Amino acid sequence: MFGEATDRRPMRAGTEGMPTMTDAMMTVRPRLALALQGGGAHGAYGWGVLERLLEEDVEIVAVSGASAGALNGAALVAGLAAGGRDGACAGLERLWRAVSNGSPLRAFDVDHWGGPLFEPWLRRSLEISKLFSRYIAPFAPHIRDMRALRRIVTQTIDLSALARPDALPLHIAATRVENGSARLFANAEITVDALMASACLPDLFAAVTIDGEDYWDGGFSANPALEPLIFGDAGATDMLIVQITPFTNEDVASSLSGIMARMSDIGFNACLLRDLKALTEVQAIAREAHSASPKMQALAATNLHLMQAAPELAQRGSASKIDTRWTQIEDLRALGRATADAWLAEHRPVFGRMSTPTDLPEAVAA
């Protein structure tokens, strides 16, 4: 659990080098660091969350992301650098419209077919397709080299904007195939290859080679990376993790596709659970010990927040993460906006003052 009932206002170093709290800082505009989880087409849910956050009177100061969260993060930061909040909103919409326009499922949108009567058949077809795609992909070079996603990123995100001096710090994660560790790419290092590496699911795509090293999806090792948001000198008063894959799913299908989807969800949430457990435990120590260490002070002064994924995401079924029809993307966007709106109504008043309580699953890997 993140917070306690006691007030956790932003702190600064006192004359003795120890953190102190001032009433004047209660009115400071929150400086928000965003950690964006990945999740395939469910990244459109993250788009809705970001769109709602951009309407709030907070200053976004740093972003971290993996997989679809990396794509959202790149569109967000590039858009902010080029055109402020309006530019960020336009960039996110441009990205997801391109995803939909390039979708092989575009012809099967409900406006053109049988609506609710057609949906169960299509979802089942997608589940079967997802199972067999790993056997087909090796014989389809246009799939293995991530050609469609490369084209979308190239056409919709100005990656040169990430290297501008006024661009927000952006960190995207990819997983080293050799040893399973995370590599974080920052701003000027973020190329199309880096974004492909962050979104490279190995059962579909060939490993992405960068500087002679092979990479897979960043969700395996850092989904998303949290440390650079706290220790990267962005001066965040608060860190908000935008979760896309729910921790719990009470209705796991007994089919092979349902079991494999749940295995994937557990795997991609494992590193987030691990990092949250470590951060919250060390933060409690840092706030009690009043350490002189700059890193411990930074951790003590950063309020932690988790916007848990809406339960409806788990109820959409295993095929939903590969369903890129515009109607589905719009539904996910609306769900993300609604979730963010409800979360902000409850927790926005404590930004800059304290962490928000969050119940985590009890069994968390140390």
Side-chain angles (χ1 to χ4, degrees), residues 133-169:
S133 61
R134 66 194 62 199
Y135 304 109
I136 299 171
F139 304 100
H142 65 288
I143 296 177
R144 295 293 283 171
D145 64 11
M146 307 180 75
R147 195 171 305 170
L149 187 56
R150 285 178 181 274
R151 183 172 60 251
I152 288 168
V153 168
T154 301
Q155 293 175 350
T156 62
I157 304 175
D158 178 10
L159 296 181
S160 67
L162 303 180
R164 288 172 48 162
D166 57 343
L168 298 183

Side-chain angles (χ1 to χ4, degrees), residues 22-75:
T22 66
D23 290 334
M25 293 189 72
M26 288 185 65
T27 59
V28 72
R29 187 185 187 201
R31 295 171 56 83
L32 190 63
L34 294 175
L36 310 177
Q37 196 178 42
H42 284 187
Y45 167 90
W47 167 28
V49 171
L50 292 175
E51 193 174 53
R52 177 60 185 86
L53 288 173
L54 286 166
E55 298 170 0
E56 202 67 23
D57 184 25
V58 297
E59 182 182 0
I60 298 172
V61 296
V63 182
S64 170
S67 198
L71 298 178
N72 278 339

Side-chain angles (χ1 to χ4, degrees), residues 172-184:
I172 68 168
T175 303
R176 293 182 175 91
V177 175
E178 183 178 18
N179 58 25
S181 64
R183 175 177 173 180
L184 301 184

Side-chain angles (χ1 to χ4, degrees), residues 12-26:
R12 58 178 173 83
T15 56
E16 301 283 338
M18 293 296 177
T20 62
M21 294 183 290
T22 66
D23 290 334
M25 293 189 72
M26 288 185 65

Side-chain angles (χ1 to χ4, degrees), residues 120-136:
W121 177 86
L122 179 60
R123 288 174 185 165
R124 182 58 181 157
S125 297
L126 287 175
E127 290 172 359
I128 295 172
S129 172
K130 190 175 181 181
L131 281 175
F132 285 97
S133 61
R134 66 194 62 199
Y135 304 109
I136 299 171

Side-chain angles (χ1 to χ4, degrees), residues 12 27 38 40 52 113 118 128 149 151 181 189 194 209 218 228 268 275 295 313 327 346 348 353:
R12 58 178 173 83
T27 59
R52 177 60 185 86
W113 292 79
F118 178 71
I128 295 172
L149 187 56
R151 183 172 60 251
S181 64
E189 299 176 308
T209 303
F268 280 118
D275 291 347
K295 285 193 172 183
L313 290 172
T327 52
E346 181 176 0
R348 172 63 180 86
R353 297 183 57 234

